Amino acid sequence: MKKIAIIGGGLAGLVSAIRLSRLNFEVVLFEKKQYPFHKVCGEYLSNEVLDFMKRENFLPDNQYFPKINKFQISALNGKSLTMPLDLGGFGISRFLLDDFLANLARTSGAQILENTSIINVEFGNNQFRLESSTNEVYHADMVIGAYGKNGVLDKKLERGYLKYEAPFIGVKHHIKTDFPRDLVALHNFEGGYCGIVAIENDQFNLCYLGRREDLKKAGSVEAMEAQVLKVNPFLKSIFDNAEFVHEKPVVINAFSFRPKKLIENHILMSGDTAGLITPLCGNGMAMAIHSAKILSDTIAEHAGSEQWDRQKLESVYSEKWNATFKRRLWVGRKTQSFFGSKWSSNAALSVMKNSPWLAKKIMKNTHGKPF
């Protein structure tokens, strides 16, 4: 039985762990935190993955998840556009979803080691040697990297994207407010944009992408929100009138959207570790889940027997991943360049209002089809 080590217990790591365990691979997953926990995420799940999630029983029972079928975008000057979402989606917190999937992974046969960070991975003699932060050593036939936007291993692997600046921060709040529960909104501010979407328990996710330099200049997240985000009247109204559920937001620092190599030293990257789509596209969760499906399917197909070809598996995975995601990531990066500043966001909104076909085309090219 082949042993597969998965580094990171987010959506990509957990979906891979469940599916591979069900196929009788020996799976061990390493997660540096302990479930359940909050993480920076827009918490909007595109319906492109809904059929798959239902088939695999990946959604908690007896829970109401708000159905999202409208999209609103606003510029710094307060002008806005609201349009229907052809495919739509639903809101669900990562606190709930990741914990549910972690328990499902355990019952499927995967071993989950929480509070465990992997700080080094070496490959030799067709085997991997993994070293944890507590100096424990593990061995595996395959390793999946699913540890998110950035990690300690990226520096060890000298990944190419690290040569460039990592100018962004992500901040997430959970709030209670009077806001439509069938609408996902994206409000621009100087240097970034903020999304709001309904999740379970009558709460909303308020999550934004900002610039590290603005946080440094302001001195704190709260000060930056007051000085930068509240310039947009939509955001000022939300921040001034909402009830914040948690005392402090969840923050992630220093990341970028630069292209990444899919395979590093034979480690198979998945989810954000393989490629990060800009938050304004609203489907990072769906892409993480879909990438895990592609990878687990490929492993099942090409490593199910004793005699298997690692090079062939890597080649097929790369081909499938690029065919599914490469263009979407490129379109996302290009689209982001039109938002996050006073002039460009105002101009982009004006163009979208006058050319609704263009807005629909952008949306179509940054979202996948149901599978």
Side-chain angles (χ1 to χ4, degrees), residues 2-9 12-14 16-17 20-21 25-31 110-111 113 118 120-122 127-131 137-147 153 266-270 295 299 310:
K2 293 181 184 64
K3 187 167 187 176
I4 301 175
I6 301 175
I7 306 170
L14 289 168
S16 293
L20 292 169
S21 294
F25 288 93
E26 185 181 349
V27 176
V28 56
L29 182 147
F30 302 92
E31 169 51 52
Q111 180 184 11
L113 300 179
I118 296 298
N120 193 37
V121 179
E122 297 175 352
Q127 272 253 323
F128 289 94
R129 180 183 183 275
L130 300 88
E131 184 181 342
V137 173
Y138 305 88
H139 295 90
D141 299 295
M142 275 177 275
V143 172
I144 294 173
Y147 45 83
L153 279 181
H266 301 290
I267 300 173
L268 304 163
M269 304 302 185
S270 186
L295 179 53
I299 291 173
R310 188 183 301 276

Side-chain angles (χ1 to χ4, degrees), residues 97-235:
L97 181 57
D98 288 25
D99 188 47
F100 174 80
L101 292 175
N103 287 325
L104 187 57
R106 293 185 188 99
T107 59
S108 299
Q111 180 184 11
I112 296 184
L113 300 179
E114 298 169 274
N115 301 310
T116 305
S117 297
I118 296 298
I119 59 171
N120 193 37
V121 179
E122 297 175 352
F123 180 76
N125 298 321
N126 212 31
Q127 272 253 323
F128 289 94
R129 180 183 183 275
L130 300 88
E131 184 181 342
S132 75
S133 53
T134 55
N135 296 320
E136 293 175 281
V137 173
Y138 305 88
H139 295 90
D141 299 295
M142 275 177 275
V143 172
I144 294 173
Y147 45 83
K149 297 172 180 64
N150 52 34
V152 174
L153 279 181
D154 286 343
K155 292 182 179 179
K156 291 275 187 179
L157 294 167
E158 299 180 344
R159 301 189 76 187
Y161 82 92
L162 292 174
K163 297 175 184 176
Y164 303 93
E165 184 186 12
F168 298 112
I169 60 165
V171 180
K172 186 189 82 172
H173 298 276
H174 280 172
I175 63 173
K176 292 184 177 181
T177 190
D178 184 16
F179 191 83
R181 294 188 67 80
D182 62 349
L183 175 73
V184 57
L186 191 71
H187 301 301
N188 279 268
F189 57 87
E190 190 70 42
Y193 39 83
C194 178
I196 178 170
V197 68
I199 56 172
E200 71 276 1
N201 298 330
D202 296 320
Q203 295 182 15
F204 291 84
N205 170 290
L206 184 70
C207 189
Y208 62 87
L209 175 81
R211 295 184 300 205
R212 293 175 67 194
E213 63 184 82
D214 290 331
L215 176 59
K216 186 177 180 180
K217 190 183 299 182
S220 70
V221 168
E222 187 177 13
M224 183 181 69
E225 290 169 350
Q227 296 169 19
V228 181
L229 276 72
K230 288 187 181 182
V231 172
N232 185 317
F234 282 92
L235 289 175

